[in-house]
Amino acid sequence: MPKVFVYGSLKRGQSNAFMMEGAQFVAPARSVQCWRLVALPHYPALVREEGPCRITGEVWEVPETMMAELDRFEEVPVLYTRQEIEVELEGQEGRTADRLLMAHAYFMPTVLAAAGRELREGRWPA
């Protein structure tokens, strides 16, 4: 099953968590690479540019059939694009290499995220 890294309103306890019904929560996680995360009025956006820190989120195993639903919800390719990134599972025992995996993440184009406020700690809600 594909894995998805969620960092905003799709996380447990957030406004759009219902979209993850049918998926299996894996673990809290952080991006391996430092990206930019910005807060827009109602949700955050991950921007595919080097940022100040790793991004905090969650990894979910998602049925293949659910990926198209998530893409529609995230308005791919207009509002977001989906790309795989490397993430590190948190709270897991063992070697670092055993905690690393690839997961899909949704990125907003820089021009669309320009109005957002930088979340310099890589966490939403801030």
Side-chain angles (χ1 to χ4, degrees), residues 7 46 48 71 74-84 104-109:
Y7 53 83
L46 190 58
R48 197 168 181 87
D71 284 353
E74 297 289 2
E75 298 180 45
V76 172
V78 176
L79 188 58
Y80 286 94
T81 59
R82 175 169 48 96
Q83 299 172 1
E84 278 194 311
H104 297 274
Y106 289 93
F107 287 90
M108 182 176 280

Side-chain angles (χ1 to χ4, degrees), residues 79-99:
L79 188 58
Y80 286 94
T81 59
R82 175 169 48 96
Q83 299 172 1
E84 278 194 311
I85 64 170
E86 190 172 29
V87 297
E88 181 179 0
L89 302 179
E90 295 186 338
Q92 307 287 315
E93 298 296 322
R95 301 175 310 144
T96 301
D98 295 334
R99 296 190 308 262

Side-chain angles (χ1 to χ4, degrees), residues 14-26:
Q14 298 303 315
S15 62
N16 292 314
F18 67 92
M19 288 297 300
M20 301 310 288
E21 288 177 16
Q24 178 68 44
F25 175 75
V26 175

Side-chain angles (χ1 to χ4, degrees), residues 5-123:
F5 175 72
V6 299
Y7 53 83
S9 69
L10 295 175
K11 293 189 307 187
R12 295 172 300 160
Q14 298 303 315
S15 62
N16 292 314
F18 67 92
M19 288 297 300
M20 301 310 288
E21 288 177 16
Q24 178 68 44
F25 175 75
V26 175
R30 289 177 30 164
S31 65
V32 169
Q33 186 169 340
C34 295
W35 301 105
R36 284 185 57 222
L37 186 67
V38 299
L40 297 164
H42 303 289
Y43 54 87
L46 190 58
V47 180
R48 197 168 181 87
E49 295 177 355
E50 187 174 334
C53 63
R54 296 167 63 186
I55 306 303
T56 301
E58 302 172 347
V59 171
W60 290 76
E61 281 190 347
V62 177
E64 191 68 49
T65 55
M66 194 173 161
M67 292 303 296
E69 292 174 39
L70 289 174
D71 284 353
R72 276 192 298 280
F73 180 77
E74 297 289 2
E75 298 180 45
V76 172
V78 176
L79 188 58
Y80 286 94
T81 59
R82 175 169 48 96
Q83 299 172 1
E84 278 194 311
I85 64 170
E86 190 172 29
V87 297
E88 181 179 0
L89 302 179
E90 295 186 338
Q92 307 287 315
E93 298 296 322
R95 301 175 310 144
T96 301
D98 295 334
R99 296 190 308 262
L100 298 176
L101 56 87
M102 298 301 290
H104 297 274
Y106 289 93
F107 287 90
M108 182 176 280
T110 305
V111 66
L112 297 179
R117 175 179 50 88
E118 291 286 334
L119 296 173
R120 300 203 53 80
E121 294 183 12
R123 183 178 306 116

